[in-house]
Coordinates of all heavy atoms in Angstrom, one line a residue:
S1452 N 105.1 123.0 85.0 CA 106.4 123.5 85.3 C 106.9 123.1 86.7 O 108.0 123.3 87.0 CB 106.4 124.9 85.1 OG 105.5 125.5 86.0
I1453 N 106.0 122.6 87.5 CA 106.3 122.2 88.8 C 105.6 121.0 89.2 O 104.4 120.9 89.0 CB 106.0 123.4 89.8 CG1 106.6 123.0 91.3 CG2 104.6 123.7 90.0 CD1 106.8 124.2 92.2
G1454 N 106.2 120.0 89.8 CA 105.5 118.7 90.2 C 105.4 118.7 91.7 O 106.3 118.6 92.4
R1455 N 104.2 118.6 92.1 CA 103.9 118.4 93.5 C 103.1 117.1 93.6 O 102.5 116.6 92.7 CB 103.1 119.6 94.2 CG 104.0 120.9 94.1 CD 103.4 122.0 95.0 NE 102.0 122.3 94.7 CZ 101.7 123.4 93.9 NH1 102.6 124.2 93.4 NH2 100.4 123.7 93.7
N1456 N 103.0 116.7 94.8 CA 102.2 115.4 95.0 C 100.9 115.3 94.4 O 100.0 116.1 94.7 CB 102.1 115.1 96.5 CG 101.6 113.7 96.9 OD1 101.8 112.8 96.1 ND2 100.8 113.7 97.9
R1457 N 100.7 114.4 93.4 CA 99.4 114.1 92.8 C 98.8 115.3 92.2 O 97.6 115.5 92.1 CB 98.5 113.4 93.7 CG 98.9 112.1 94.2 CD 98.0 111.4 95.2 NE 96.7 111.3 94.7 CZ 96.2 110.3 94.0 NH1 97.0 109.3 93.6 NH2 95.0 110.2 93.6
I1458 N 99.6 116.3 91.7 CA 99.2 117.7 91.3 C 98.2 117.6 90.1 O 97.2 118.3 90.1 CB 100.3 118.6 90.9 CG1 99.8 120.1 90.8 CG2 101.1 118.2 89.7 CD1 99.5 120.7 92.0
I1459 N 98.4 116.7 89.2 CA 97.6 116.6 88.0 C 96.2 116.0 88.4 O 95.1 116.5 88.1 CB 98.2 115.8 86.9 CG1 99.4 116.6 86.4 CG2 97.2 115.6 85.7 CD1 100.2 115.8 85.4
R1460 N 96.2 114.9 89.2 CA 95.0 114.3 89.6 C 94.1 115.3 90.5 O 92.9 115.4 90.4 CB 95.3 113.0 90.4 CG 96.0 111.9 89.5 CD 96.1 110.7 90.3 NE 96.9 109.6 89.6 CZ 96.3 108.8 88.7 NH1 95.0 108.9 88.5 NH2 97.1 108.0 88.0
R1461 N 94.8 116.0 91.4 CA 94.1 116.8 92.3 C 93.5 118.1 91.5 O 92.3 118.4 91.8 CB 95.0 117.4 93.4 CG 95.4 116.3 94.4 CD 96.1 116.8 95.7 NE 97.4 117.3 95.2 CZ 97.9 118.6 95.5 NH1 97.0 119.4 96.3 NH2 99.1 119.1 95.2
A1462 N 94.2 118.5 90.6 CA 93.7 119.7 89.8 C 92.5 119.4 89.0 O 91.5 120.1 89.0 CB 94.9 120.3 88.9
F1463 N 92.6 118.2 88.3 CA 91.5 117.8 87.4 C 90.3 117.4 88.3 O 89.2 117.7 87.9 CB 92.0 116.7 86.4 CG 92.5 117.2 85.2 CD1 93.8 117.6 85.3 CD2 91.8 117.3 84.1 CE1 94.5 118.0 84.1 CE2 92.4 117.8 82.9 CZ 93.8 118.2 82.9
H1464 N 90.6 116.9 89.5 CA 89.4 116.5 90.4 C 88.6 117.8 90.7 O 87.5 117.8 90.9 CB 90.0 115.8 91.6 CG 89.0 115.5 92.6 ND1 88.1 114.6 92.4 CD2 88.6 116.1 93.8 CE1 87.2 114.5 93.5 NE2 87.5 115.4 94.3
N1465 N 89.4 118.9 91.0 CA 88.8 120.2 91.3 C 87.8 120.6 90.2 O 86.8 121.4 90.5 CB 89.8 121.3 91.6 CG 90.4 121.2 93.0 OD1 89.9 120.5 93.8 ND2 91.5 121.7 93.2
F1466 N 88.1 120.3 89.0 CA 87.2 120.6 87.8 C 86.1 119.6 87.5 O 85.5 119.7 86.6 CB 88.0 120.9 86.6 CG 88.8 122.1 86.7 CD1 90.2 122.0 86.8 CD2 88.3 123.4 86.8 CE1 91.0 123.2 86.9 CE2 89.1 124.6 87.0 CZ 90.5 124.4 87.0
G1467 N 86.1 118.5 88.3 CA 85.1 117.4 88.2 C 85.5 116.3 87.2 O 84.6 115.6 86.8
Y1468 N 86.7 116.3 87.0 CA 87.3 115.2 86.1 C 88.0 114.1 86.9 O 88.6 114.4 87.9 CB 88.2 115.7 85.0 CG 87.5 116.6 84.1 CD1 87.7 118.0 84.2 CD2 86.9 116.1 83.0 CE1 87.0 118.9 83.2 CE2 86.2 117.0 82.1 CZ 86.3 118.3 82.2 OH 85.7 119.1 81.3
T1469 N 88.1 112.9 86.5 CA 88.9 111.9 87.0 C 90.0 111.4 86.1 O 89.7 111.1 84.9 CB 88.0 110.6 87.3 OG1 86.9 111.0 88.2 CG2 88.8 109.5 87.9
V1470 N 91.2 111.5 86.6 CA 92.3 111.1 85.8 C 92.4 109.5 85.9 O 92.7 109.0 87.0 CB 93.6 111.8 86.2 CG1 94.8 111.2 85.5 CG2 93.5 113.3 86.0
I1471 N 92.4 108.8 84.9 CA 92.5 107.3 84.9 C 93.9 106.9 84.7 O 94.3 105.9 85.4 CB 91.5 106.7 83.8 CG1 90.0 107.1 84.1 CG2 91.7 105.2 83.8 CD1 89.1 106.8 83.0
Q1472 N 94.6 107.5 83.9 CA 96.0 107.1 83.6 C 96.9 108.2 83.3 O 96.5 109.1 82.6 CB 96.0 106.1 82.5 CG 97.3 105.4 82.1 CD 97.2 104.5 81.0 OE1 96.2 104.4 80.3 NE2 98.3 103.7 80.9
L1473 N 98.1 108.2 83.8 CA 99.1 109.3 83.6 C 100.3 108.5 82.9 O 100.6 107.4 83.4 CB 99.5 110.0 84.8 CG 98.5 110.9 85.5 CD1 99.1 111.4 86.8 CD2 98.2 112.1 84.6
H1474 N 100.9 109.3 82.1 CA 102.2 108.7 81.5 C 103.1 109.9 81.3 O 102.9 110.8 80.5 CB 101.9 108.1 80.1 CG 103.0 107.6 79.4 ND1 103.6 106.3 79.7 CD2 103.8 108.0 78.4 CE1 104.6 106.1 79.0 NE2 104.8 107.1 78.1
R1475 N 104.2 109.9 82.0 CA 105.2 110.9 81.9 C 106.0 110.7 80.6 O 106.6 109.6 80.4 CB 106.2 110.9 83.1 CG 107.2 112.0 83.1 CD 108.3 111.8 84.2 NE 107.6 111.7 85.5 CZ 107.6 112.8 86.4 NH1 108.2 113.9 86.0 NH2 107.2 112.6 87.6
I1476 N 106.2 111.7 79.9 CA 107.0 111.6 78.6 C 108.3 112.3 78.7 O 109.2 112.0 77.9 CB 106.2 112.2 77.4 CG1 105.8 113.6 77.5 CG2 105.0 111.3 77.1 CD1 105.2 114.2 76.3
S1477 N 108.5 113.1 79.7 CA 109.9 113.8 79.9 C 109.9 114.3 81.3 O 108.9 114.6 82.0 CB 110.1 114.9 78.9 OG 109.2 115.9 79.2
I1478 N 111.2 114.6 81.7 CA 111.4 115.3 83.0 C 112.7 116.2 82.7 O 113.7 115.6 82.3 CB 111.7 114.4 84.1 CG1 111.9 115.2 85.4 CG2 112.7 113.4 83.9 CD1 111.9 114.5 86.7
G1479 N 112.4 117.4 82.6 CA 113.5 118.4 82.4 C 113.9 118.1 80.9 O 113.2 118.1 79.9
C1480 N 115.2 117.9 80.7 CA 115.7 117.7 79.3 C 115.7 116.3 78.9 O 116.1 115.9 77.8 CB 117.2 118.3 79.2 SG 118.3 117.4 80.3
I1481 N 115.3 115.4 79.7 CA 115.3 113.9 79.5 C 114.0 113.5 78.8 O 112.9 113.7 79.5 CB 115.6 113.1 80.7 CG1 117.0 113.4 81.2 CG2 115.5 111.6 80.4 CD1 117.4 112.8 82.5
Q1482 N 114.1 113.0 77.6 CA 112.8 112.5 76.9 C 112.7 111.1 76.9 O 113.7 110.4 76.8 CB 112.9 113.0 75.5 CG 113.0 114.5 75.2 CD 111.6 115.2 75.5 OE1 110.6 114.7 75.3 NE2 111.7 116.3 76.2
L1483 N 111.5 110.6 77.2 CA 111.3 109.1 77.2 C 111.5 108.6 75.8 O 111.9 107.5 75.7 CB 109.8 108.8 77.7 CG 109.5 107.3 77.9 CD1 110.4 106.7 78.9 CD2 108.1 107.2 78.3
G1484 N 111.0 109.2 74.7 CA 111.2 108.7 73.4 C 110.4 107.5 73.2 O 109.3 107.3 73.7
N1485 N 111.0 106.6 72.5 CA 110.4 105.2 72.2 C 110.9 104.1 73.2 O 110.6 103.0 72.8 CB 110.9 104.8 70.8 CG 110.3 105.8 69.7 OD1 109.1 106.3 69.9 ND2 111.1 106.0 68.7
L1486 N 111.3 104.5 74.3 CA 111.7 103.5 75.3 C 110.4 102.7 75.7 O 109.3 103.2 76.0 CB 112.2 104.2 76.6 CG 112.9 103.3 77.5 CD1 114.1 102.6 77.0 CD2 113.3 104.1 78.8
E1487 N 110.5 101.4 75.6 CA 109.3 100.5 75.9 C 109.1 100.4 77.4 O 109.9 100.6 78.2 CB 109.5 99.2 75.3 CG 109.5 99.2 73.7 CD 109.7 97.8 73.2 OE1 109.3 96.8 73.8 OE2 110.2 97.7 72.1
F1488 N 107.8 100.1 77.7 CA 107.4 99.9 79.1 C 108.3 98.9 79.8 O 108.5 97.8 79.3 CB 106.0 99.5 79.2 CG 105.4 99.4 80.5 CD1 105.0 100.4 81.3 CD2 105.3 98.1 81.1 CE1 104.5 100.3 82.6 CE2 104.9 98.0 82.5 CZ 104.5 99.1 83.2

C-alpha cells in the first residue's frame, strides 16, 4: 500500500530471501494489462 525506496527488496532481505526480479503490474488504478515490454 506504500512504496518506499527498494521496500520489497529490503523487506525480503530481512527474512533471508533475495529478490531477483520485480515486475510492477499496477500503480493505483492504472493496470499494466497486456502491454508488452
Side-chain angles (χ1 to χ4, degrees):
S1452 58
I1453 188 164
R1455 295 194 303 260
N1456 186 32
R1457 300 177 54 86
I1458 192 72
I1459 295 173
R1460 292 184 190 277
R1461 291 187 296 126
F1463 276 79
H1464 178 74
N1465 283 341
F1466 293 112
Y1468 294 98
T1469 300
V1470 175
I1471 298 170
Q1472 183 177 16
L1473 290 173
H1474 180 76
R1475 182 188 302 259
I1476 58 174
S1477 68
I1478 181 169
C1480 61
I1481 299 174
Q1482 300 287 321
L1483 184 62
N1485 294 326
L1486 193 63
E1487 294 183 27
F1488 181 78

